Amino acid sequence: MAKPQRYRFCVGPWNFSEGRDPYGPETRPSQSFDWKLSALKELGFDAMMFHDDDAVPDIESKSPAQVQKEAKELKRRLAGEGIAAEMVAPRLWFHPDTVDGGYTSNSPKQRRYAIDRSKQAIDIANVLGTDLLVLWLAREGTYLREAKSGRRSVELLVQALDAMLAHDPKIRLSIEPKPNEPMDHAYLPTIGHALAIAQLTSDAARVGCLIESAHAILAGLDPADEIDFAMAFGKLWSLHLNDQNGLKFDQDKPFGSANLRVAFNQVRALERNGYGKRGEYVGFDVHPFRTTKPEHYLRHLSNSRDTFLRLVEKARSYPEKQAQALIADRNYQDLDQLVLNHLMGT
Ligand code: XUL
Ligand code: MN
């Protein structure tokens, strides 16, 4: 029998967050990059995810040569610790030139800024030894419908993706859709949109996606269905597991925290599609609760991984024969209870 899959895990420096929200300041001290790196090692995670300015802090104030130099230094540090860089993502939502969006800004100068910054993020990815550029299109959408043309915005997004594909023949673009926040409506709210726009680019085979559980739930979708859909296209290249309690602000709760059954079904979908067999990592885009004390700084990460691994066991020990018999009998009533009993351990 084939050996069961061993998963590899990653997390980003932003997942050691300090508790700030729109209504109050930090509740925990901020930690240095060194502290985060050693915490990640201590947890036994395998890789780190990077925004461009996580890799090179204050990136906007630095020359291209300086950015390359610092990226090389980071690569050496990561290699020394045996930690891989999973992806790089251009942060296109903080700088004043991204106020009206990056690639879909109404200002040509600001669109140029977004594309140039994305090319630089690709160069950083090359130095860090990853071929994955993640695009969370934070401000590519509208606060009000009349501010932009939706049709033109699709064309501008395709132009931007093409510019990135042309910049590096090996880079793969992984679109991370989210339906809202900070925008009222985003132009690419779901995995279907991400994979559809890939078809309009010059190299569709190099445009895939990243699924975040909370983002799918915010779109009113089941993340397990999003996983099956993306993997039917061979396009799920990265993953941000977390949880979300209904339609409200993006909560980034620990995996399984709000709905264990929805988490179980995501794990089943990953298992049946062989996620990880082509080198993909399981990322947790989770944050500590604001109430979390400094001494419990890492619990949301270790808890998410523990829940994930226990759900892998649950997926592998699922009473498939019994389930199939109930399905054949269209007895979904008892199928429902079979799942609940399995999860409750009876
Ligand atoms: C935002 C989000 C980001 C991306 C990385 O909701 O999930 O952290 O994952 O840019
Ligand atoms: Mn995310």
Side-chain angles (χ1 to χ4, degrees):
M1 218 170 77
K3 228 174 129 197
Q5 162 94 5
R6 181 202 166 262
Y7 288 96
R8 295 188 302 169
F9 299 97
C10 65
V11 70
W14 66 91
N15 297 117
F16 303 84
S17 55
E18 296 91 11
R20 185 190 176 87
D21 72 12
Y23 305 97
E26 290 75 6
T27 54
R28 289 175 294 279
S30 88
Q31 302 289 1
S32 67
F33 181 78
D34 283 350
W35 186 93
K36 293 175 185 179
L37 187 58
S38 61
L40 187 143
K41 276 205 74 171
E42 200 184 300
L43 286 166
F45 279 45
D46 307 277
M48 202 179 234
M49 326 188 257
F50 292 96
H51 293 109
D52 51 2
D53 58 358
D54 295 323
V56 180
D58 301 320
I59 196 166
E60 294 112 1
S61 66
K62 291 178 180 162
S63 69
Q66 183 67 18
V67 169
Q68 282 283 306
K69 184 172 164 274
E70 290 188 28
K72 282 181 189 155
E73 280 162 18
L74 173 61
K75 172 65 185 167
R76 268 194 297 277
R77 298 228 355 246
L78 292 173
E81 301 288 349
I83 297 291
E86 191 245 357
M87 60 81 159
V88 176
R91 195 192 296 278
L92 295 176
W93 53 92
F94 226 81
H95 190 272
D97 276 349
T98 59
V99 163
D100 189 33
Y103 314 127
T104 64
S105 166
N106 280 324
S107 152
K109 182 177 151 277
Q110 295 180 354
R111 293 200 297 274
R112 169 63 33 213
Y113 171 84
I115 290 177
D116 287 347
R117 184 150 171 180
S118 306
K119 289 180 182 170
Q120 185 182 49
I122 293 172
D123 297 342
I124 295 172
N126 271 320
V127 174
L128 297 187
T130 172
D131 66 353
L132 204 58
L133 191 81
V134 166
L135 299 170
W136 172 45
L137 303 171
R139 298 194 191 278
E140 315 300 352
T142 52
Y143 297 103
L144 59 155
R145 268 286 154 271
E146 299 82 1
K148 291 180 183 177
S149 153
R151 169 64 193 261
R152 183 156 177 272
S153 293
V154 171
E155 290 162 6
L156 289 172
L157 284 168
V158 172
Q159 280 172 26
L161 295 169
D162 279 348
M164 290 177 242
L165 293 168
H167 183 69
D168 176 347
K170 286 191 299 300
I171 200 75
R172 292 180 300 145
L173 310 178
S174 203
I175 298 174
E176 179 181 354
K178 181 179 180 183
N180 61 283
E181 200 203 35
M183 307 314 292
D184 179 16
H185 287 285
Y187 285 129
L188 301 182
T190 69
I191 292 304
H193 290 80
L195 298 190
I197 206 165
Q199 299 306 312
L200 295 179
T201 66
S202 57
D203 193 356
R206 287 194 287 134
V207 184
C209 65
L210 179 161
I211 290 174
E212 174 161 328
S213 325
H215 297 179
I217 293 165
L218 284 169
L221 299 172
D222 187 318
D225 286 346
E226 291 280 84
I227 290 170
D228 275 324
F229 188 82
M231 293 203 75
F233 287 78
K235 293 268 197 166
L236 186 60
W237 297 340
S238 188
L239 190 61
H240 284 177
L241 295 180
N242 57 17
D243 215 348
Q244 170 75 25
N245 186 16
L247 304 182
K248 50 186 82 164
F249 61 94
D250 187 4
Q251 295 181 304
D252 294 337
K253 288 187 166 206
F255 185 53
S257 162
N259 193 327
L260 198 58
R261 187 175 185 167
V262 168
F264 170 64
N265 282 314
Q266 287 171 76
V267 173
R268 278 195 90 204
L270 295 170
E271 285 270 297
R272 80 173 140 254
N273 286 289
Y275 184 83
K277 287 193 176 148
R278 284 156 297 275
E280 309 93 335
Y281 289 85
V282 173
F284 294 112
D285 199 354
V286 293
H287 290 267
F289 300 126
R290 189 164 190 266
T291 48
T292 300
K293 296 178 195 165
E295 59 264 40
H296 305 142
Y297 227 127
L298 306 180
R299 300 304 294 158
H300 62 304
L301 301 173
S302 55
N303 289 342
S304 290
R305 186 187 46 194
D306 288 353
T307 302
F308 177 87
L309 290 172
R310 287 196 64 182
L311 289 176
V312 169
E313 278 170 29
K314 286 284 175 189
R316 289 177 185 170
S317 61
Y318 182 65
E320 200 64 64
K321 267 209 185 112
Q322 272 172 269
Q324 286 308 324
L326 292 169
I327 290 168
D329 189 30
R330 212 185 67 200
N331 187 353
Y332 300 161
Q333 210 66 65
D334 285 346
L335 180 65
D336 186 37
Q337 196 60 25
L338 182 81
V339 174
L340 294 181
N341 285 339
H342 186 61
L343 287 177
M344 289 189 290
T346 52

